[in-house]
């Protein structure tokens, strides 16, 4: 997570009510939770033995530096021993400062089986002080008892001295202090505006900003409520950013007029749009030509569940192991099965020989390494991956499996996982486990990792590292299950069909063709043409499938549906990640008008630097055979053998405004005879 809130160093000291309290250490560990605005005295923690330093130091003993750790470099770490008096939901906040470089750090909170790890990017702040970067970490279900917090410096871009910044003002406070329905204005971070004695925010001058941190407990449509007193003309631009992903979820410009300024005690509602559950940064930017725009008070955001959204819907992905070539896809069940994932995948590294063995009532998929590894090795693992559907958040609870060693005393398994492309986290529970051996009636060893407060908004990758196993020996796995719940509303995509009546589509989720749309796969390619095979109406089409579609010009919404089927021999590729740029001339074929005079539609080679839009499809040039003079720059569209040709009377084809094509994809007159295509369907016109 990257938070680049440019603020004064005392911002976290005033996080909620001002008047910071110094949190002293004691022999039993630093006491938490803390009062809002308190922070940990690192110098006192070092003296009491509650702070352990590795290649770094407390930055000072006075002037605020006793609350910070400095002289950090790559590999530096420090650990705080704490004691939590009350189990509950909390937020860890801290500040950082660098000079003319950036850094990456990892923060781990651990208590028994509870483990929470989050990675942070530290932006350049031009100097070590003030500690102008603000960072936040959600700690749901933090248990009571002994807690350890370890901060590790992962990297730095300081090539001259290798420094990695200063870190301080650590505070663990109750999540209740971050109530989005009643935003604590005194805890805001301000540039220009300020909080008055009456609790209102004033001095809202041009380009002023106010930033707040708040927790949203549900997915839905957000409404901002503000008690306003008007002073001038202008706007407030409200932006909501998800802290875990740094994704801007919405931006709304609010016009400050007499109609919306009804006083502090009569807050005015402003509909913002959809936001997801989680910790949010809420930022106001003032724009006015007057000295001051307004004062505001009694600010909060209410969130109503959106129609078609899901909340805490159960979902379980099960990989059917037991075969030498297990299916890559998982079987997904539960209330949220149809909307949870656009991708489930299983794979193993090529350094294993994969086979199958039976023991008792179970069949195992077995893994035998090509060479013994004495510890975790990046070339020896089995991987399970899920990718969430757009708009959905997956909250994993448990990853479990059963394992057994076959004919050997060796063989260990350790589980690691990564969330949304972050650094890998090694489980402290499924760690260096030596499964039971297939002898003397032994039962398989059940391995289970419980996820603590993990939310996946893009991708979860779980790896099982297998090591300490001689070449030719086997460890077997079956019953692999990932359980959890999903929140959110699936985000469907709209595809526009232009005047030609043709377009392409390639979506990151399973879908079906909307009414009025025909879909075609490219199943055969020659030197001069491609063959289009129609997808039957009502078919659930697998995610990441590229298609050519025909329809009346307009915009069509492609719905989300249960995981679909893949189309055999289809060479079209879906572009689902981002706009794709052709690096070389002619490396892709895209849908295009290949003859302006006749308005013929075909596939044409794209120029270097050409762009393939997200959620569209293309064909790699590598599938096109070369003729005598190399590859053809454009290919005709040839519809496959008619499967639904209708005999219709001449006046029963279509009206004059309908676009008509022949089987080569060329636009023809509406009175053309023979086999024609109208609205994506084939007709024999006599």
């Amino acid at each position: 997570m990257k938070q680049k809130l440019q603020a004064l160093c005392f911002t976290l000291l005033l996080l909620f009510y001002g008047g910071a309290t110094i949190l002293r250490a004691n022999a039993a560990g630093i006491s938490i939770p803390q009062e809002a605005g308190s922070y940990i005295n690192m110098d006192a923690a070092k003296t009491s033995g509650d702070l352990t330093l590795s290649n770094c130091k407390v930055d000072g003993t006075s002037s605020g530096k006793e609350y910070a750790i400095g002289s950090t470099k790559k590999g530096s770490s420090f650990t705080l021993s704490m004691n939590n008096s009350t189990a509950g939901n909390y937020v860890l906040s801290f500040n950082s400062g660098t000079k003319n470089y950036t850094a990456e750090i990892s923060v781990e909170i651990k208590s028994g089986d509870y483990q929470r790890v989050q990675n942070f990017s530290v932006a350049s702040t031009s100097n070590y002080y003030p500690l102008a970067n603000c960072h936040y970490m959600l700690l749901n279900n933090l248990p009571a008892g002994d807690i350890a917090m370890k901060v590790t410096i992962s990297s730095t871009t300081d090539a001259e001295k290798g420094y990695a910044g200063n870190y301080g003002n650590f505070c663990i406070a109750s999540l209740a202090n971050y109530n989005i329905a009643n935003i604590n204005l005194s805890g805001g971070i301000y540039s220009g505006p300020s909080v008055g004695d009456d609790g209102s925010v004033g001095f809202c001058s041009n380009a002023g900003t106010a930033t707040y941190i708040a927790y949203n407990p549900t997915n839905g449509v957000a409404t901002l409520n503000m008690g306003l007193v008007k002073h001038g003309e202008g706007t407030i631009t409200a932006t909501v950013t998800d802290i875990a992903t740094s994704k801007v979820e919405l931006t709304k410009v609010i016009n400050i007029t007499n109609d919306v300024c009804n006083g502090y005690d009569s807050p005015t509602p402003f509909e913002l749009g959809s936001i997801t559950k989680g910790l949010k940064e809420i930022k106001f930017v003032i724009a006015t030509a007057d000295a001051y725009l307004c004062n505001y008070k009694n600010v909060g955001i209410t969130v109503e569940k959106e129609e078609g959204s899901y909340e805490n819907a159960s979902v379980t992905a099960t990989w059917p192991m037991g075969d030498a070539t297990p299916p890559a896809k998982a079987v997904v069940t539960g209330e949220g099965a149809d909307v949870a994932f656009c991708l489930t995948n299983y794979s193993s590294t090529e350094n294993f020989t994969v086979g199958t063995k039976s023991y008792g009532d179970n069949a195992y998929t077995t893994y035998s390494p090509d060479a013994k590894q004495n510890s975790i090795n990046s070339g020896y693992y089995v991987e399970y991956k899920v990718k969430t559907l757009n708009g959905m958040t997956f909250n994993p609870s448990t990853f479990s499996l059963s394992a057994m060693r076959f004919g050997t005393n060796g063989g260990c398994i350790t589980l690691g996982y990564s969330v949304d492309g972050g650094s890998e986290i090694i489980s402290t529970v499924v760690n260096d486990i030596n499964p039971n051996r297939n002898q003397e009636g032994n039962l398989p060893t059940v391995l289970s990792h419980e996820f603590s407060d993990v939310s996946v908004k893009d991708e979860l990758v779980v790896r099982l590292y297998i090591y300490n196993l001689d070449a030719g020996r086997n460890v077997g796995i079956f019953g692999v299950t990932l359980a959890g719940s999903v929140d959110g509303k699936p985000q469907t995509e709209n595809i526009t069909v232009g005047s030609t009546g043709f377009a392409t589509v390639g979506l990151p989720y399973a879908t079906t063709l909307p009414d009025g749309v025909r879909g075609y796969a490219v199943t055969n390619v020659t030197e001069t043409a491609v063959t289009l095979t129609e997808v039957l109406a009502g078919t659930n089409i697998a995610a990441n499938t590229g298609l050519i579609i025909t329809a009346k010009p307009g915009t069509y919404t492609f719905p989300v549906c249960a995981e679909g089927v893949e189309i055999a021999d289809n060479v079209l590729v879906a572009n689902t990640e981002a706009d794709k740029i052709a690096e070389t001339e002619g490396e892709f074929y895209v849908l295009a008008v290949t003859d302006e005079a006749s308005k013929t539609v075909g596939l044409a080679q794209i120029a270097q630097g050409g762009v393939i839009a997200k959620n569209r499809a293309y064909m790699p040039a590598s599938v096109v055979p070369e003729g005598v003079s190399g590859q053809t720059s454009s290919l005709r569209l040839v519809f496959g053998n008619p499967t639904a040709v209708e005999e219709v009377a001449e006046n029963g084809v279509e009206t004059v405004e309908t676009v008509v094509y022949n089987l080569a994809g060329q636009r023809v007159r509406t009175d053309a005879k023979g086999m024609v295509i109208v609205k994506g369907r084939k007709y024999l016109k006599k």
Side-chain angles (χ1 to χ4, degrees):
M1 177 205 74
K2 183 181 291 184
Q3 282 299 104
K4 298 181 179 177
L5 309 181
Q6 301 303 315
L8 297 177
C9 65
F10 60 82
T11 54
L12 283 182
L13 313 186
L14 302 176
L15 189 55
F16 297 105
Y17 303 108
T21 301
I22 299 173
L23 187 74
R24 297 294 180 185
N26 58 60
I30 298 166
S31 297
I32 58 172
Q34 302 164 229
E35 294 182 3
S38 62
Y39 52 99
I40 296 170
N41 185 319
M42 295 295 186
D43 187 55
K46 179 183 176 183
T47 301
S48 67
D50 294 321
L51 173 64
T52 303
L53 301 163
S54 177
N55 197 26
C56 53
K57 66 178 183 179
V58 176
D59 208 42
T61 58
S62 61
S63 303
K65 293 184 179 181
E66 66 269 37
Y67 314 118
I69 302 296
S71 299
T72 64
K73 296 186 177 183
K74 180 181 179 181
S76 297
S77 66
F78 54 95
T79 302
L80 282 164
S81 297
M82 299 177 286
N83 186 273
N84 183 23
S85 62
T86 308
N89 301 324
Y90 298 95
V91 173
L92 165 67
S93 59
F94 65 98
N95 284 16
S96 68
T98 69
K99 205 164 187 179
N100 298 313
Y101 51 83
T102 62
E104 301 287 332
I105 69 169
S106 173
V107 177
E108 178 185 24
I109 305 292
K110 192 174 185 310
S111 176
D113 292 341
Y114 181 94
Q115 182 186 30
R116 181 76 170 92
V117 180
Q118 189 164 320
N119 302 308
F120 296 89
S121 296
V122 180
S124 171
T125 54
S126 300
N127 213 329
Y128 298 112
Y129 292 97
L131 300 176
N133 289 321
C134 300
H135 309 277
Y136 302 89
M137 182 175 179
L138 186 62
L139 302 174
N140 278 335
N141 304 311
L142 185 68
D146 292 337
I147 308 288
M149 181 185 76
K150 183 176 182 179
V151 179
T152 303
I153 312 302
S154 307
S155 66
T156 177
T157 58
D158 181 11
E160 182 180 353
K161 295 183 179 179
Y163 288 132
N166 291 359
Y167 303 88
N169 301 337
F170 284 83
C171 174
I172 296 180
S174 172
L175 184 61
N177 293 301
Y178 295 82
N179 184 4
I180 197 169
N182 185 19
I183 295 174
N184 186 5
L185 301 182
S186 63
I189 301 166
Y190 298 99
S191 176
S194 62
V195 181
D197 293 339
D198 63 349
S200 69
V201 176
F203 299 99
C204 296
S205 56
N206 188 54
T209 64
T211 305
Y212 309 96
I213 304 299
Y215 180 74
N216 174 35
T218 186
N219 300 283
V221 178
T223 299
L224 171 66
N225 303 290
M226 299 183 75
L228 291 161
V229 173
K230 185 173 179 290
H231 297 301
E233 302 291 334
T235 62
I236 296 176
T237 299
T239 302
V240 177
T241 301
D242 183 72
I243 285 182
T245 63
S246 297
K247 178 182 178 181
V248 176
E249 295 190 329
L250 62 84
T251 299
K252 179 79 171 183
V253 178
I254 299 169
N255 291 312
I256 304 302
T257 64
N258 289 326
D259 294 339
V260 301
C261 295
N262 301 311
Y264 295 146
D265 295 329
S266 299
T268 302
F270 303 95
E271 186 172 320
L272 297 180
S274 298
I275 62 174
T276 62
K277 180 171 70 174
L279 205 59
K280 306 297 174 184
E281 174 198 303
I282 302 157
K283 186 173 185 177
F284 299 151
V285 179
I286 314 298
T288 181
D290 297 306
Y292 300 110
L293 176 61
C294 63
N295 282 27
Y296 60 84
K297 191 178 179 181
N298 296 327
V299 177
I301 293 178
T302 56
V303 182
E304 296 292 332
K305 185 177 179 181
E306 198 170 0
E307 183 179 355
S309 65
Y310 292 75
E311 188 167 352
N312 201 31
S314 63
V315 61
T316 300
T318 302
W319 282 268
M321 312 298 287
D323 195 287
T325 55
K329 289 184 179 179
V331 177
V332 183
T333 58
E335 180 188 354
D338 291 350
V339 296
F341 308 122
C342 64
L343 173 72
T344 61
N345 190 60
Y346 148 84
S347 63
S348 61
T349 55
E350 60 184 12
N351 296 320
F352 286 118
T353 298
V354 183
T356 181
K357 289 183 181 293
S358 295
Y359 181 75
D361 296 330
N362 303 307
Y364 296 76
T365 298
T366 58
Y367 301 89
S368 177
D370 57 10
K372 182 178 181 179
Q373 308 299 312
N374 293 322
S375 59
I376 291 176
N377 186 300
S378 60
Y380 295 82
Y381 61 79
V382 181
E383 181 178 279
Y384 300 90
K385 178 192 298 185
V386 295
K387 190 175 181 66
T388 58
L389 200 63
N390 283 351
M392 302 303 293
T393 298
F394 174 50
N395 310 299
S397 58
T398 308
F399 183 91
S400 61
L401 68 142
S402 295
M404 180 157 285
R405 293 175 289 118
F406 288 88
T408 179
N409 290 324
C412 292
I413 297 176
T414 289
L415 181 148
Y417 69 92
S418 61
V419 177
D420 297 339
S423 299
E424 186 173 53
I425 300 166
I426 299 299
S427 171
T428 58
V429 179
V430 183
N431 190 295
D432 208 29
I433 302 296
N434 188 222
N436 287 337
R437 184 174 176 175
N438 64 327
Q439 62 184 12
E440 301 173 357
N442 284 339
L443 296 175
T445 300
V446 177
L447 308 180
S448 181
H449 176 85
E450 304 290 331
F451 293 94
S452 298
D453 190 27
V454 174
S455 294
V456 181
K457 299 198 174 183
D458 180 26
E459 182 178 85
L460 172 66
V461 177
V462 178
R463 288 179 174 178
L464 301 176
Y465 292 95
I466 300 175
Y467 54 97
N468 198 23
L469 183 64
D470 289 334
R473 301 297 186 178
N474 293 276
V475 166
I477 293 173
F478 82 95
V480 178
T481 299
L482 174 64
S485 63
V486 289
D487 301 309
K489 181 179 180 180
Q491 294 179 5
T492 57
E493 297 290 344
N494 294 327
I495 298 296
T496 299
V497 177
S499 60
T500 65
F502 282 80
T504 64
V505 62
L507 300 173
Y509 56 84
T511 188
T512 190
L513 296 171
D515 291 341
V517 176
R518 294 276 172 172
Y520 302 87
V522 173
T523 55
N524 187 56
V525 184
T526 69
E527 299 170 6
T528 59
V530 296
T531 301
L532 303 186
T533 300
E534 185 173 3
V535 177
L536 295 178
T539 300
N540 283 7
I541 304 161
N544 305 301
T545 297
L547 292 177
I548 291 174
I549 60 173
T550 60
K552 184 178 180 180
T555 299
Y556 298 85
T557 299
F558 283 73
V560 174
C561 68
E563 194 162 342
V565 297
E566 295 183 355
I567 301 172
D569 303 322
N570 182 24
V571 297
L572 288 174
V573 177
N575 179 39
T576 60
E577 297 296 328
D579 289 354
K580 188 179 186 68
I581 300 175
E583 296 180 357
T584 60
E585 188 81 17
E587 65 174 319
F588 307 123
Y589 283 80
V590 296
L591 194 71
V593 174
T594 56
D595 187 326
E596 287 291 345
S598 62
K599 299 299 180 184
T600 299
V601 176
L603 292 179
Q605 288 182 324
I606 193 171
Q608 183 178 7
V611 177
I612 302 168
K614 181 182 177 182
N615 296 327
R616 300 290 183 157
Y618 64 93
M619 187 177 75
S622 58
V623 304
V624 181
E626 293 190 4
V628 176
S629 303
Q631 287 181 334
T632 306
S633 61
S634 63
L635 303 170
R636 294 181 296 110
L637 305 182
V638 179
F639 290 81
N641 294 329
T643 56
V645 176
E646 297 182 12
E647 298 267 352
V648 294
E650 180 176 351
N651 61 2
V653 178
E654 284 296 337
T655 57
V656 294
E657 68 268 21
T658 300
V659 179
V660 181
Y661 299 90
N662 61 22
L663 291 184
Q666 297 169 317
R667 187 170 181 174
V668 296
R669 293 165 53 92
T670 56
D671 59 356
K673 302 293 193 271
M675 197 73 69
V676 295
I677 299 171
V678 179
K679 287 189 175 181
R681 299 199 65 184
K682 308 181 192 71
Y683 297 91
L684 181 62
K685 186 177 176 186
K686 299 180 179 179

